[in-house]
Amino acid sequence: MHYDVLLIGSGFGSLTAAALLSKRGLKVGVLEQAKYPGGSATSYKRKGYWFETGATTLVGLDEHMPLRYLLEETGIQLPGLRKLEVPMQVYLPNGTIVTRYQHLEQWIAEAERIFGKQSQREFWDYCYRISKQVWQVSLQQRSFPFSTASDLLQAARAFRPGQLMLIPGAFKTMEDLLRHYNLHDNKLFIDFVNEQLLITAQSYMQEVNVLFGATALCYTLYSNYYLDGGLINLVQPVIDYCKNNGATIHYGQEVTGILPSADGYEVTTSKGSYSCRFIVSGIPLNNTIALYKDEKLHNRLQKYIFPSEQLNGAFTMSLVLKKQARNILHHQLHLPDGLPVINSKSIFISFSHDADNSRAPEGEQVASISTHIPDPAGTYIHQKEKIEQAIVAALAEADLVLPQQIISCQSATPGAWQFWTKRAYGAVGGYPQYRHIKPWQMKDARLDHKGAYLCGDTVYPGQGIVGVCLSGIIAAEKLIRDQRL
């Protein structure tokens, strides 16, 4: 079967690109190894319950943000959206509960109450201003990172003087910023910042540059949403849009090889083969490079590949609970002594909405729990039960989940994540931020500078769904511009 464009994987970056390319009238095919679309931003069904696969929060519908851009470009509607009045609560090691309000003034007042008044206003005013500018410039400069003269020409056309204010932030870390505001000795605040950065930028303040770090810290200051039925109902409207434009989604098709041909590419899968003029890979760069037999391409891309030692995996739990009224759905618990076996210092839990009866029967609800594990390939977990017990005990101590509320529980290690998603090492969240890699040194969307492109969380890492959505926008635009479609 021949296509204009084949997309490898149906993660949200791929689906974003597929929607924009199918809108142009191209014949689009999507190859997905699983039986559900959406990759790490979807839901799966088990024993009648719908659990989130990876991501649990939805951000990106505010002005100048990628998800809003996608919906406006396509006219896609998201049913069952519920705006969260409070995006999250954080439980500090000293027992204090921090409420992460969306409204900036309300959040600053809370930060001053918890961490002291010194420089909190100045720090958060600056971070929020940078984050808004980052998202606005990201959509203005859709040829970034640059790798051709055409990119530079497009960048010049999209240049606005205000974009220059972001440049210094690429050379400073979040640790530098905390020092600038004399917050580097505030241990309670430093611990808070580090654990918040870990769940959004996949790294700590010593490594994360200010551009990514400020943006990551401020995601609760934007509109956060819950989707009835889970994030599968973010993915399905995009799938439907693509299908209505003639696209085809092939499930159970794990790609095993990519070979350049006279008129494009030959793609082999676990069930057959396909041909296409162009490719967009939405799977991690580690997985993508393994599909090519081209040694020169391997050598050229090797500098962009992160080994397991520089990545994070996750230990996850999916709970079925007796329903309890909850005003706040997302919580992060900081653990001063760390979890046994893996030593993770925080856990993140997301509950299904009280009014959403589509993910669990009446009187019940589901919850998703995750915690980071560094170097997933080098961390084989033999004692899952110890970790599970420690997490349940921490949730009970915080009065979030009591043992008698738990109807069922299942947990998964990075090995299980790798088995089900096929992501290299079972890594989650994309490539972490490292200070030695400047934004313009990240991998461009072009894979081979012929007809193969890349999107997903190893292109625009961190920042969740909104980041991978941006990566799909950029990949589609570069393909269209390069090929003059």
Side-chain angles (χ1 to χ4, degrees):
M1 192 175 297
H2 184 78
Y3 290 93
D4 293 322
V5 186
L6 272 176
L7 293 104
I8 302 174
S10 66
F12 203 73
S14 282
L15 293 183
T16 296
L20 296 173
L21 293 169
S22 65
K23 179 187 176 187
R24 303 280 297 199
L26 296 171
K27 185 180 180 182
V28 170
V30 180
L31 302 173
E32 170 55 53
Q33 61 89 20
K35 62 180 180 179
Y36 293 119
S40 300
T42 190
S43 314
Y44 69 95
K45 193 174 187 180
R46 187 174 190 272
K47 296 183 178 180
Y49 298 92
W50 283 95
F51 299 101
E52 301 294 31
T53 302
T56 58
T57 57
L58 180 60
V59 182
L61 293 175
D62 296 274
E63 188 177 12
H64 304 307
M65 296 191 82
L67 185 54
R68 177 167 173 173
Y69 171 88
L70 173 66
L71 299 185
E72 288 178 345
E73 283 290 305
T74 59
I76 293 171
Q77 301 290 317
L78 300 180
L81 269 181
R82 297 180 187 270
K83 189 173 184 298
L84 303 180
E85 293 303 315
V86 178
M88 185 202 301
Q89 279 188 329
V90 180
Y91 292 66
L92 300 181
N94 64 4
T96 303
I97 299 175
V98 185
T99 302
R100 294 226 56 185
Y101 296 104
Q102 181 191 335
H103 190 273
L104 180 62
E105 285 298 318
Q106 202 173 4
W107 164 239
I108 290 174
E110 176 75 346
E112 289 179 338
R113 180 182 74 86
I114 301 295
F115 304 112
K117 289 199 171 184
Q118 179 179 318
S119 301
Q120 288 293 326
R121 174 171 294 279
E122 293 82 1
F123 176 82
W124 289 106
D125 275 339
Y126 176 82
C127 286
Y128 187 49
R129 186 168 68 252
I130 288 293
S131 73
K132 289 195 296 184
Q133 188 72 358
V134 163
W135 286 124
Q136 184 170 0
V137 171
S138 294
L139 279 177
Q140 291 170 341
Q141 292 288 358
R142 296 196 292 274
S143 60
F144 186 85
F146 314 132
S147 64
T148 65
S150 172
D151 283 347
L152 293 172
L153 180 61
Q154 289 295 317
R157 290 172 178 167
F159 174 74
R160 305 290 183 273
Q163 296 170 4
L164 295 174
M165 70 171 286
L166 293 179
I167 294 176
F171 294 93
K172 296 178 181 177
T173 66
M174 289 303 293
E175 183 178 38
D176 296 330
L177 190 64
L178 286 166
R179 287 186 179 278
H180 176 78
Y181 287 108
N182 294 314
L183 291 166
H184 59 289
D185 290 328
N186 188 335
K187 186 176 186 308
L188 191 65
F189 186 59
I190 285 174
D191 290 343
F192 166 81
V193 167
N194 268 332
E195 294 305 318
Q196 289 277 282
L197 285 173
L198 187 59
I199 61 174
T200 47
Q202 310 300 316
S203 195
Y204 294 117
M205 66 179 189
Q206 296 91 339
E207 295 290 350
V208 183
N209 70 47
V210 168
L211 298 184
F212 285 112
T215 306
L217 284 181
C218 288
Y219 82 95
T220 51
L221 296 174
Y222 294 90
S223 301
N224 281 240
Y225 294 89
Y226 176 88
L227 261 176
D228 281 1
L231 287 174
I232 186 70
N233 289 327
L234 165 68
V235 170
Q236 195 58 53
V238 184
I239 291 282
D240 293 341
Y241 176 86
C242 294
K243 287 182 174 180
N244 288 338
N245 284 333
T248 307
I249 316 295
H250 302 275
Y251 296 104
Q253 299 272 359
E254 181 181 354
V255 175
T256 56
I258 298 172
L259 187 67
S261 65
D263 58 351
Y265 300 87
E266 293 292 330
V267 178
T268 57
T269 76
S270 53
K271 294 184 178 179
S273 63
Y274 301 84
S275 63
C276 59
R277 293 167 62 197
F278 312 113
I279 284 175
V280 179
S281 176
I283 61 177
L285 186 54
N286 304 61
N287 294 83
T288 301
I289 194 173
L291 300 176
Y292 282 86
K293 308 306 178 187
D294 186 337
E295 187 174 345
K296 289 183 179 179
L297 182 63
H298 275 239
N299 293 337
R300 193 161 68 243
L301 295 178
Q302 199 60 47
K303 65 179 179 180
Y304 298 109
I305 300 293
F306 281 25
S308 174
E309 294 83 355
Q310 294 180 308
L311 300 172
N312 292 301
F315 183 87
T316 61
M317 293 174 65
S318 299
L319 304 181
V320 178
L321 306 169
K322 296 176 183 177
K323 184 175 285 188
Q324 176 182 327
R326 302 180 190 277
N327 295 324
I328 300 171
L329 302 184
H330 305 298
H331 304 263
Q332 187 188 40
L333 281 71
H334 292 195
L335 309 171
D337 299 322
L339 288 170
V341 182
I342 55 177
N343 200 37
S344 301
K345 298 294 185 182
S346 67
I347 59 177
F348 188 78
I349 181 168
S350 294
F351 297 96
S352 59
H353 197 283
D354 298 347
D356 181 7
N357 294 318
S358 59
R359 295 179 61 186
E362 185 68 35
E364 299 178 1
Q365 64 184 158
V366 296
S368 299
I369 299 169
S370 63
T371 187
H372 280 74
I373 299 175
D375 185 13
T379 309
Y380 188 83
I381 296 172
H382 298 275
Q383 299 169 301
K384 287 201 319 182
E385 296 79 9
K386 275 192 174 183
I387 305 172
E388 290 174 354
Q389 290 166 7
I391 289 174
V392 170
L395 293 172
E397 186 176 350
D399 202 30
L400 279 170
V401 176
L402 300 179
Q404 59 267 31
Q405 292 176 287
I406 300 175
I407 297 171
S408 70
C409 166
Q410 60 173 339
S411 62
T413 65
W417 179 263
Q418 183 177 11
F419 177 79
W420 290 111
T421 68
K422 309 301 181 184
R423 290 175 66 97
Y425 316 123
V428 301
Y431 283 173
Q433 307 298 309
Y434 288 110
R435 60 183 170 178
H436 67 279
I437 301 174
K438 305 304 181 214
W440 50 87
Q441 295 173 317
M442 296 190 307
K443 180 68 192 85
D444 168 53
R446 299 180 183 89
L447 266 176
D448 60 5
H449 286 263
K450 295 176 182 176
Y453 298 81
L454 183 72
C455 63
D457 59 12
T458 53
V459 180
Y460 198 100
Q463 319 303 342
I465 292 170
V466 66
V468 295
C469 179
L470 177 62
S471 76
I473 293 168
I474 292 172
E477 180 152 318
K478 289 195 174 187
L479 190 160
I480 291 165
R481 178 156 43 86
D482 290 349
Q483 312 303 334
R484 299 180 181 180
L485 298 175

